[in-house]
Amino acid sequence: MRLVIAVVQDKDSGRLAAELVKRGYRATKLASTGGFLKAGNTTFLIGVENDQVDNVVDCIRHSCRAREQVVTPFAPVGNVEAVMPAPIAVQVGGATVFVLDVEHFEHF
Ligand code: 2BA
């Protein structure tokens, strides 16, 4: 058995959840926060058989899209020499996916 962990943008989470249910997969959605942007995102935990991993990753790929987000990097406080940082654009997503081996699984 494998555990697929997928960090996706909030905007894609509804579509991904619906698609997983449609394809008969069980999943848990966790509200999460990106370490870099410090913005909300959604982390899915999806437990599947080994031969289902490709189909689940395919489902994530088709449900999530990349978007550009503009961020202003952290400006040091109290430094008179500091120049105000200019906003930069970063590309977020489609999704960040981890596939882990599951040593033991019980469901009761
Ligand atoms: P965030 O950490 O908020 O990162 C959002 C986007 O900012 C990233 O998109 C990437 O384009 C950029 N970014 C992140 N760290 C950076 C850095 N040190 N320098 C420059 N740009 C940086 P994605 O790569 O698509 O990641 C989307 C979200 O997926 C991340 O949100 C984070 O929550 C998660 N993630 C990505 N890589 C991860 C990893 N190796 N481990 C755990 N979570 C990860």
Side-chain angles (χ1 to χ4, degrees):
M1 186 173 201
R2 298 276 160 81
L3 179 65
V4 179
I5 301 175
V7 184
V8 312
Q9 293 173 75
D10 288 343
K11 284 176 183 164
D12 296 322
S13 66
R15 185 173 33 242
L16 176 57
E19 191 60 31
L20 288 168
V21 169
K22 197 169 110 188
R23 297 192 193 196
Y25 296 113
R26 293 173 181 231
T28 297
K29 274 171 68 179
L30 305 174
S32 46
T33 305
F36 187 70
L37 293 181
K38 294 171 180 59
N41 53 28
T42 303
T43 299
F44 282 79
L45 305 180
I46 312 157
V48 292
E49 297 307 324
N50 296 8
D51 63 359
Q52 296 174 317
V53 169
D54 288 349
N55 192 254
V56 165
V57 172
D58 182 66
C59 181
I60 296 166
R61 186 172 287 114
H62 286 97
S63 302
C64 302
R65 61 185 63 127
R67 295 183 185 84
E68 204 166 79
Q69 221 159 303
V70 176
V71 290
T72 304
F74 173 74
V77 179
N79 179 355
V80 288
E81 304 276 319
V83 177
M84 272 307 284
I88 53 164
V90 293
Q91 182 168 307
V92 187
T96 303
V97 180
F98 305 87
V99 181
L100 285 69
D101 274 329
V102 175
E103 197 172 305
H104 185 78
F105 170 74
E106 284 188 40
H107 180 233
F108 48 83

